[in-house]
Amino acid sequence: MSTFNTSPSPLHQGNTITLRRTVSTDAAFLFQKAYQNLEFMHRFRLNDTPQSVKEVRKRLERQWQSSPEQSGYLEMLIIHKKLGPIGLTVLADYYPLHCRAEYLIGLFDEQHRQAGYGIETTLLVMDLAFNRYNLHKLDAYTYGYNDAGQKNLLGGGFVDEGLRREHLYSKAEKRFIDLRAFGMTLNDFRSNQLLGRLSHRLVGYDVTQAGEKPVAAIYSNKLARSKGYKLLSSAISVALSLSAPVYAANYDVTAADDDGTGNTVNSLSWAILQANTNPGRDTITLKTDINVRRVMKRLIDSDVTLQSDGTVRTISGGNSYRPLFIKSGRVNIKNLNLNNGLAKGGDSGYGGGGAGLGGALFVYSGTVNIDSVKFSDNTAQGGSSSNAPGGGGGGMYGNADAGEGGGGLFGASNNSTNGDCGYAGPVGNPYGGFGGNRFNGGNGGFAGGGCSYNKSSNGEDGGNGGFGGGGGSGKGYRSFGGAGGFGGGGGKDYYGYGGHGGFGGGGGHCNWGGPNGGFGGGSGAGSRSGGGGAGFGGAIFAKSGTVILNRVTFTDNTARGAGDGEGRGGALFICTPSEGRSECNAVVNDCGNNTFTNNSADDGENDVFGTLTDIGSCSSNLVGLSDFQIDGNTLSWSTTIELDNAGFNVWRRLPGGLWEQLNKMLIPAVGEGSTYTFTDYSAVSGQNYEYRLEDIDMSGSITFHYLAGTAPVISLTSRRMEWC
């Protein structure tokens, strides 16, 4: 089953209504439901007529280029828990000096305007405006013909402040329109008993009483008790990114056996497939232990959290298959056991063996946070040569076959006889040994073995293996066996030159002297077969991207090579450009609380091949800064890591004084690799200040950052401005 929740996280919510900030992927929906709805716009905002979805999207993107505090504009989608999005509400024309903003509300459909949804929405916005954003007054305006809107404002406690005659011109009607003004001050709000009674029923507490229940309570009780003043952190910015959708989903996994295809409802592979096709950050919750019975063909390729329910669950590869492969995304793996996984490189007859990479987990790319996970009894095993028919190279999983095709990531090659090396998968699938022509064996794609043409004549070279794939064998006098891809063995040749093995893979056989494999790879000389594949990363192989290890245990994991191929990194293999050329660029961060016990590798690095980057202790939120600078009165900083980050606050103090938060609204998270700026308009010319940054995660946890561990002190020269 799947349950849906709003995403990005809400600014506020009542019994039936949720408010969240609009994002760029709302453009098509808003263009249809709002901007092309002339009846709605006639009441909501005259003369606002974008002509395309693209124009609306650009408008929404511009709203995110500066904070609402800076732009003076905060637009929110009104979402009913059963009906979905039903309208828009806005805080506009924010004046910091006067602590005032304009309130707008519009419901798309007539039937929703009479159902009380506008009242609940108004109460939520008032709670935000007066209790969270510290405004002193809300203005509201209706067009002179909107009698229903005027009645609703008066019933909601706004005071009629007069008629502005023929104040606006309507382009659609070609006439001037009256505008009626309404206002509500903080004192009006605090003393309105009707609003107090209504909010008890519709929101759950009396919004007119300051501090009765912090708005942040909708996120966590802990936050409500101790960090209620930070609602806006969740409010403005928990947007996952500009591409965040309206909905995200949770997928419950209840099927214990998984064939890896995604065809069985409520299996792990099915949940991965659903998350990949549903935009946004999703959650996969295991409610049973999982046994992977066949090769896992569904790769994680989206923003997703994979977690256990109340009981720590286990995903087992049954000593035959790798459980997880992450292609891309911001991925959290929490409170799980991953055991008995096997990453076995494909075998070949005369070509090179494929590489076995990452017994439990292969990280192709993305940002992967691994928290409270135990890896045990997993194995990375290189593929052999001479153990299978044919001359193609073994893939990262599949064997070569009698038709000279190279194996792929998911299976053996097809039995090709026409010189076009194939792969047992759908046409266009990027994971496997496609290629081949009339004269030379084709190169393998990613994870695919190189091919060997199946006719013997002079000068026919074997194809090179892709990343993790073995090289194909050559045919004929003075031909060359294909080189193995990263970790793959080189192909042999009957009469010419053997192919080089990839990094750590065995070199191919050659009658004229066998070349060595890659780093530490053996020679194929004297053998009638290609080189053996390497086994790297008994538990995890990280090819590129960023991996964060927090409270992770590695026990009894193994890396084994085949033949002259190597086994390295018994628990973890970190691939960098020095080994994998431009194909590798992995960073693995160590939170300092991970353990390694009884792991082994054939040729060295029983625990870790590569360098773990020590980042000290990790909170549930992880934000890494690459820069923090101050130019005049403008602060700027960049991020290398942002995991579950809601956004930032900027704090300032006089040297040795008390810290104060400068921004009234959280500076929203954009994503790792982003640069942020904040201008301190309240700084006094010539005064020295110290600054620090605070990041807040989705659950309200906070972390402070300083420049090089010390708050920077700087003299500013800007003019002073007032804030609410």
Side-chain angles (χ1 to χ4, degrees), residues 228-296:
Y229 66 94
K230 291 186 174 60
L231 163 72
L232 206 47
S233 64
S234 301
I236 302 302
S237 69
V238 184
L240 302 178
S241 70
L242 290 181
S243 61
V246 177
Y247 295 111
N250 174 73
Y251 301 100
D252 291 336
V253 176
T254 57
D257 291 336
D258 197 331
D259 65 1
T261 64
N263 295 330
T264 301
V265 175
N266 296 125
S267 66
L268 174 59
S269 60
W270 171 86
I272 292 172
L273 177 59
Q274 305 311 305
N276 288 346
T277 54
N278 181 55
R281 177 177 290 278
D282 301 308
T283 302
I284 298 173
T285 302
L286 304 188
K287 295 194 169 184
T288 184
D289 293 337
I290 306 300
N291 298 304
V292 179
R293 301 298 190 186
R294 299 182 66 181
V295 62
M296 180 61 76

Side-chain angles (χ1 to χ4, degrees), residues 525-569:
S527 170
R528 299 300 299 173
S529 61
F536 291 154
I540 301 175
F541 182 93
K543 176 179 178 290
S544 58
T546 301
V547 179
I548 303 101
L549 302 178
N550 187 24
R551 296 173 295 215
V552 179
T553 300
F554 297 91
T555 305
D556 295 318
N557 302 287
T558 305
R560 297 172 180 157
D564 47 3
E566 293 194 333
R568 290 183 174 272

Side-chain angles (χ1 to χ4, degrees), residues 4 42 56 73 200 219 318 353-354 357 369 480 518 521 565 594 620:
F4 291 93
H42 187 62
V56 178
Y73 189 85
H200 261 300
Y219 297 98
L357 307 176
N369 180 47
F480 291 83
N594 307 297
S620 58

